[in-house]
């Protein structure tokens, strides 16, 4: 795909360059961070709020950009986190105050936020480096071309790699640290919310904590995979893991494994078909889930057959 | 248009006039098409909403994408009917997966929705990017599906949209009774021998069809809002299904009208997002200002009730004081009232002033005293309070202290007939559990009944 002579190796007759490595590294961090956060969303049955936040984040990014004229990570992150939490809070409030079904209130809020985001992009199209399609499927193939460099005054700039890679790396580290520090609490809140409440754990705090993580992960993944594929990476590997795991720890590990498998398979598929990399990754995640379900169904079917024979 | 005219671009107003003259027949068609879509999507979305599947439209719209791309790859044409059929097939597939997953695996319904939505969408994008690499003619415009652009629609697109919208509205009108029954009580419908399965599939078909034709106008991502928001807004105005449907159809049509205007006046603006924004504005207006269930109305009712409670508490306190002085001393000052009821001096003064204005009490040099009317009112309140205390004490075996706390709340909303019933059940008891006499019933209490019932409704909805 990209011609780069600095570094080459081949796999299945494919030529890999340094750019491909950056893309794969970014994609695998994106997938890993989403898988970890997604696990908690699946367990807490909040897949839809994940969907909502990953859409609303667009508005956060656009507003942060319009307000500060900067695309630096802290600005984007704070915009996205603010909008993410606002989404979660508003859906909850409309659900309670308007006495509306909770999925309906989620749907109203995130479609509005997303629509406003898209309108702002078309209004300020000449100022914002985001176009409508990029909002939906990101463009991970362009990740290697937007790099961070230091120095440069003396003409010797020091390129440390793609911006998107470093932003997702930082977010991934934050997610990893938060989960390992809050593991016990998160576990209790995820499996026994009422027990957590009676133990004096601040359930509301952990709810918004999780929403913050989701927003951060979504915004860092946005460049790479766009709004809707964030949902795929949040929900699909974690669901596959949910089918097999018997503890939170094993579910987290399985989700990681599934996500990494999806990244590699997806990258190979996109190389062969010349299709969008991030879409292929999401499709592969879906196919892996489909295969897991198939295997489980076959196993169940065989068990049932055996029990019929025994009886 | 010639160059010199561009120096004076036509004003917004002029463009608006141009729009309504319908000189451009396409504009008229787009307008009619989007209004029809707005109406049919709102009506069919209402049924999805009532069945607690509000976000099904979201998932189905995303699920249509790979079908569109597949149909294009297979037939290499943008003929609306071909694209429509492709989308229909893949949306239906999505629908069954959403249904199948939670029934047969551990996966929960919300995750099933998110999985289907994102997987199908990813598949659609993968195919779209694959198509971009193919050497096929007229592939541009396929990506218009993502955000919807009314201006990009051809007349055959609009014709198809019109047929589908009219078909949907006709189906709903024709099977209205059955659909209503299933929406509210599917198991009851089953016992009546209605083929629930058939109507469920019909409903699914109507939703899928509406979503699919709506894609070009509204776009994949925002189609959910067109199905969901009108009914959510209409809910604040009415309880009755007929008027709910009519209202949400009206809201859908109105938002279609607004968004077509905007996208005509500013062609760079995508139609779909503006439709969603106008829908959301209508929703927020309904949420705040709807006459029965709007937040403003509810806030006002709550405030009225709170004022009534505060005032009645003071009246009853005055009665109690009166009773303690064996009805000999009539005037009480602030400190005496505060000794029985813990209330901030400033607030107490305000309430006393209001009570004076309503001629329930009057102020004298020595303090405040109940007027004739005020005394009647206070007596009735005390009677209710003590009857309820006795009732709880006897029937629910609550201690007098517990009973008192309960009665503090119920005295404000008991009606005269309930009071009568209580008195009968308690065999016209004369003493409450604290040993205080229960005042006798008065005729005047009944006059308050109608007013009281009105306030009760306000109270019920806020407890």
């Amino acid at each position: 795909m990209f011609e780069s002579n600095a570094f080459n190796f081949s796999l299945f007759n494919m030529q890999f360059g340094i750019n491909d490595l950056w893309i794969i590294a970014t994609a695998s961090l994106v997938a890993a961070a989403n898988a970890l956060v997604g696990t908690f969303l699946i367990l807490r049955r909040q897949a839809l709020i994940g969907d909502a936040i990953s859409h609303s984040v667009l508005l956060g990014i656009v507003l942060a950009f319009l307000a500060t004229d900067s695309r630096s990570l802290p600005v984007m992150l704070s915009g996205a986190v603010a909008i993410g939490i606002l989404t979660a809070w508003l859906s909850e409030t409309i659900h309670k105050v308007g006495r509306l079904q909770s999925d309906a209130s989620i749907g109203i809020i995130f479609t509005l936020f997303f629509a406003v985001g898209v309108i702002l992009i078309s209004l300020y199209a000449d100022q914002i480096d985001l176009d409508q399609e990029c909002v939906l499927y990101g463009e991970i193939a362009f990740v290697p071309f937007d790099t961070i460099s230091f120095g440069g005054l003396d003409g010797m700039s020091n390129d440390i790699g793609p911006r998107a890679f470093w932003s997702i790396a930082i977010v991934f580290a934050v997610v990893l640290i938060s989960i390992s520090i809050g593991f016990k609490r998160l576990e209790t809140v995820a499996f026994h919310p009422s027990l957590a409440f009676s133990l004096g754990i601040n359930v509301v705090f952990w709810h918004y904590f999780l929403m913050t993580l989701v927003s951060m992960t979504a915004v860092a993944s946005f460049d790479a995979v766009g709004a809707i594929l964030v949902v795929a990476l949040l929900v699909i590997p974690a669901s596959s893991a949910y089918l097999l795991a018997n503890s939170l720890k094993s579910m987290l590990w399985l989700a990681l494994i599934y996500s990494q498998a999806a990244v590699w398979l997806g990258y190979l598929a996109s190389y062969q078909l010349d299709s969008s990399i991030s879409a292929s990754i999401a499709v592969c995640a879906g196919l892996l889930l489909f295969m897991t379900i198939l295997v489980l169904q076959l196993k169940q079917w065989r068990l049932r057959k055996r029990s019929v024979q025994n009886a | 248009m010639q160059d010199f005219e561009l120096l004076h671009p036509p004003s917004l107003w002029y463009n608006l006039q141009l729009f309504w003259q319908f000189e451009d027949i396409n504009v008229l068609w787009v307008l009619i098409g989007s209004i029809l879509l707005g109406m049919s999507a709102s009506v069919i979305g209402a049924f999805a909403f009532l069945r607690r599947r509000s976000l099904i439209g979201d998932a189905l719209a995303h699920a249509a994408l790979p079908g569109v791309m597949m149909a294009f790859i297979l037939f290499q044409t943008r003929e609306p009917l071909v694209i429509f059929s492709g989308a229909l097939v893949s949306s239906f597939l999505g629908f069954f997966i959403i249904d199948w997953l939670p029934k047969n695996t551990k996966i929960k319904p919300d995750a099933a929705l998110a999985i289907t939505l994102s997987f199908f969408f990813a598949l659609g994008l993968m195919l779209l990017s694959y198509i971009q690499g193919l050497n096929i003619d007229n592939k541009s415009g396929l990506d218009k599906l993502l955000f919807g652009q009314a201006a990009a629609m051809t007349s055959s697109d609009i014709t198809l949209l019109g047929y589908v919208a009219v078909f949907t509205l006709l189906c709903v009108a024709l099977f209205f009774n059955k659909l209503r029954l299933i929406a509210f009580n599917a198991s009851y419908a089953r016992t009546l021998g209605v083929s629930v399965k058939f109507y469920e599939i019909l409903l699914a078909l109507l939703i899928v069809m509406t979503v699919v034709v709506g894609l070009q106008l509204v776009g994949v991502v925002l189609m959910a809002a067109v199905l969901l928001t009108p009914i959510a807004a209409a809910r604040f105005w009415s309880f009755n299904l007929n008027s709910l449907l009519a209202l949400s159809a009206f809201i859908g049509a109105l938002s279609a009208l607004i968004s077509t205007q905007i996208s005509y006046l500013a062609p760079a603006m995508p139609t779909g997002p503006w439709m969603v924004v106008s829908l959301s504005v209508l929703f927020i207006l309904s949420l705040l200002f709807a006459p029965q269930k709007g937040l403003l109305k509810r806030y006002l009712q709550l405030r009225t009730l709170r004022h009534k409670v505060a005032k009645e508490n003071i009246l009853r306190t005055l009665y109690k004081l009166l009773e303690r002085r064996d009805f000999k001393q009539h005037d009480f000052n602030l400190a005496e009232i505060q000794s029985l009821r813990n209330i901030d001096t400033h607030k107490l003064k305000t309430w006393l002033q209001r009570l004076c204005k309503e001629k329930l009490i009057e102020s004298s040099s020595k303090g405040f005293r109940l007027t004739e009317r005020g005394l009647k009112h206070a007596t009735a309140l005390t009677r209710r309070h003590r009857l309820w205390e006795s009732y709880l004490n006897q029937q629910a075996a609550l201690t007098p202290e517990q009973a008192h706390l309960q009665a503090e709340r119920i005295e404000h909303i008991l009606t005269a007939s309930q009071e009568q019933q209580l008195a009968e059940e308690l065999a016209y008891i004369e003493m409450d559990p604290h040993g205080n006499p229960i005042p006798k019933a008065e005729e005047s209490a009944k006059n308050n009944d109608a007013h009281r019932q009105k306030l009760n409704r306000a109270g019920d909805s806020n407890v």
Side-chain angles (χ1 to χ4, degrees), chain B residues 254-256 258-259 262 273-283:
Chain B
L254 190 62
S255 73
I258 297 172
S259 61
I262 292 173
W274 277 110
M275 192 156 175
V276 174
V277 169
S278 47
L279 276 176
S280 304
V281 170
L282 292 173
F283 171 80

Side-chain angles (χ1 to χ4, degrees), chain B residues 266-295:
Chain B
M269 291 284 137
T271 328
W274 277 110
M275 192 156 175
V276 174
V277 169
S278 47
L279 276 176
S280 304
V281 170
L282 292 173
F283 171 80
I284 293 166
L285 290 179
S286 310
L287 171 72
L288 294 178
F289 302 117
Q292 286 294 317
K293 303 202 291 177
L295 288 189

Side-chain angles (χ1 to χ4, degrees), chain A residues 41-42 44-48 51 55 94 96-108 110-112 114-116 118-119 122-123 132-133 135-137 228-229 231-233 235-236 239-240 242-245 269-270 273-280 282-287 289 293 297 300, chain B residues 48-55 58 62 100-101 104-108 110-115 117-119 121-130 132-133 143-144 146-147 220-222 224-225 228-229 232-233 235-236 268-270 272-274 276-277 280-281 283-284 287 293 295 298 461-462:
Chain A
L41 286 180
I42 292 292
R44 304 200 57 201
R45 303 191 185 180
Q46 284 172 332
L48 291 176
D51 181 18
H55 281 83
I94 290 198
K96 276 190 189 142
V97 176
R99 293 175 202 142
L100 207 60
Q101 301 158 28
S102 67
D103 57 338
S105 42
I106 291 174
I108 289 172
F110 90 78
T111 49
L112 172 64
F114 193 78
V116 174
V118 173
I119 288 173
S122 9
L123 269 178
Q132 291 182 8
E133 278 75 41
V135 165
L136 285 177
Y137 46 87
I228 292 155
L229 300 179
V231 185
L233 293 178
V235 175
I236 299 179
S239 294
S240 315
Y242 182 60
L243 292 174
L244 299 176
S270 81
L273 296 170
D274 192 18
S275 57
S276 150
I277 299 170
S278 43
S280 309
V283 168
C284 284
L287 292 179
L289 170 66
I293 291 175
Q297 289 288 316
Q300 225 177 48
Chain B
F49 177 87
L50 292 173
R51 309 207 60 204
R52 305 195 155 266
R53 289 179 139 176
S54 318
L55 284 178
D58 193 22
H62 287 79
W100 186 87
L101 275 179
N104 295 283
T105 68
K106 272 167 71 180
I107 291 169
K108 302 287 176 286
D110 64 320
L113 210 65
I115 290 169
L117 177 160
S118 56
F119 174 71
F121 189 76
L123 196 60
L125 288 185
M126 199 176 153
L127 291 172
L128 178 63
S129 60
Y130 175 71
Q132 310 285 6
D143 52 346
K144 282 278 179 288
L146 299 177
F147 289 103
V220 167
V221 190
L222 296 171
L228 161 65
T229 315
R235 247 181 86 268
F236 291 105
M269 291 284 137
W274 277 110
V276 174
V277 169
S280 304
V281 170
F283 171 80
I284 293 166
L287 171 72
K293 303 202 291 177
L295 288 189
R298 260 159 54 196
S461 60
N462 287 299

Side-chain angles (χ1 to χ4, degrees), chain B residues 3 65 75 113-114 168 199 223 332 361 375 384 424 431:
Chain B
D3 279 344
L65 202 58
F75 299 99
L113 210 65
T168 306
Y199 289 102
M223 194 59 215
F332 303 99
I361 61 173
L375 180 64
R384 286 182 180 139
E424 277 168 23
M431 287 294 194

